[in-house]
Amino acid sequence: MEKFNSTVLLKVARPDKSNAALYLNAMFLLMLLAVGFVTPWSIVMAYFLETIVIGLLNALKMAFCVGFKRHNGGTQGFGIILFFLVHYGFFVAIQSIFAFTFFELGGSTFFTDGIAVLKNYWTLLQLDGMWLLLLSIILNNCFSFATDFLGEKRYLNFTASELMIKPYLRIFIQQFVVVLSGFFLVYLDAGFIAAVLLIVIRLAIDLFLVSLRDNSASIDKMADWYASKNAEVSAEEVKKQLKIFTE
């Protein structure tokens, strides 16, 4: 694999057309936080709500894949999308209960009942500036969906079954970062640091995914390295999974 050094790091972080929206969104959030228009709680919880946005857009991606395949003689039906929405909904609900309970045990005044998921989500929407933050996150995700998935016709490369598993690892990572930021917010009373930490870490993760997605050579190297360590898995299979993960 390519040795990780400062050159690689600069390549990933260098602003360009492929990651411009990510930088603009991060700077917008930092600006809102700096001028006091939103609170650290609002920032942390907005990223928490993004879990739902990502799931809904993934279902839409699956629908495009099914529609294209059926138009060209495929037999897969739209029932798989309903299955994904139900399964993903349970996944998000369980993670939500865990996070809300975590904040409740930390003495949060926002969440007093960790298992009251709908009530807690409604509470989130009442936080200062939340609707603007949510609008920013929705627009950022929809822009990526329109320009990347639709604009580059990526639905030609995947099946709905393959995309069904795509959000889970990413969401797990995102929720972990949210809880980590929440630890600073609730237990260390360092709200501003928590919000900035979340924005920066999330930006770094997204920059890495975009860089990996747009650099087929990096994917090839990672796949070849992993396949060389695991004889039962082919490099082509690993490449496919990496492309799905970065989608």
Side-chain angles (χ1 to χ4, degrees):
M1 291 183 65
E2 183 178 0
K3 184 179 179 181
F4 183 82
N5 51 37
S6 58
T7 302
V8 176
L9 184 60
L10 289 173
K11 186 187 299 184
V12 171
R14 183 185 299 120
D16 55 35
K17 290 193 298 184
S18 66
N19 59 29
L22 298 177
Y23 274 109
L24 288 174
N25 186 64
M27 289 189 292
F28 177 68
L29 297 180
L30 288 172
M31 180 193 70
L32 292 179
L33 182 64
V35 300
F37 188 82
V38 299
T39 65
W41 264 110
S42 300
I43 294 287
V44 172
M45 292 297 103
Y47 277 111
F48 191 78
L49 285 172
E50 188 181 19
T51 300
I52 299 174
V53 177
I54 291 173
L56 292 176
L57 283 179
N58 194 68
L60 190 56
K61 291 179 180 180
M62 292 171 64
F64 271 92
C65 291
V66 171
F68 176 78
K69 297 297 188 299
R70 288 176 66 87
H71 180 72
N72 289 275
T75 58
Q76 189 173 56
F78 288 94
I80 189 173
I81 301 172
L82 178 60
F83 175 79
F84 165 76
L85 289 173
V86 172
H87 189 276
Y88 189 79
F90 276 112
F91 176 78
V92 171
I94 292 172
Q95 282 206 322
S96 298
I97 291 173
F98 169 79
F100 293 143
T101 302
F102 172 81
F103 293 135
E104 178 189 358
L105 294 176
S108 167
T109 57
F110 294 104
F111 309 114
T112 57
D113 185 355
I115 63 174
V117 177
L118 294 180
K119 175 185 175 183
N120 289 330
Y121 271 111
W122 178 249
T123 299
L124 296 185
L125 295 177
Q126 311 308 310
L127 295 174
D128 292 340
M130 178 56 73
W131 288 103
L132 181 59
L133 291 173
L134 194 55
L135 178 62
S136 171
I137 286 175
I138 291 174
L139 290 177
N140 186 52
N141 279 274
C142 288
F143 177 79
S144 176
F145 170 75
T147 59
D148 298 338
F149 188 79
L150 295 183
E152 298 179 11
K153 298 182 178 180
R154 291 181 180 165
Y155 50 84
L156 305 179
N157 304 321
F158 305 109
T159 66
S161 299
E162 290 170 335
L163 287 183
M164 185 174 71
I165 64 172
K166 172 248 172 184
Y168 290 93
L169 180 57
R170 179 184 175 188
I171 292 304
F172 178 80
I173 295 173
Q174 175 162 317
Q175 298 290 44
F176 173 78
V177 176
V178 168
V179 171
L180 176 64
S181 301
F183 177 81
F184 281 88
L185 187 63
V186 176
Y187 291 88
L188 300 182
D189 196 24
F192 189 84
I193 294 176
V196 173
L197 179 68
L198 178 55
I199 294 172
V200 172
I201 293 178
R202 173 59 195 277
L203 175 62
I205 293 173
D206 285 342
L207 288 174
F208 171 75
L209 292 177
V210 168
S211 177
L212 184 61
R213 185 192 67 203
D214 294 341
N215 190 339
S216 58
S218 294
I219 289 181
D220 290 344
K221 289 179 180 179
M222 292 181 68
D224 291 339
W225 174 83
Y226 186 84
S228 69
K229 303 294 183 181
N230 299 270
E232 67 277 7
V233 181
S234 70
E236 289 303 317
E237 291 175 341
V238 178
K239 290 176 188 177
K240 183 78 170 181
Q241 293 303 315
L242 285 173
K243 288 179 180 179
I244 292 172
F245 174 63
T246 59
E247 177 51 49

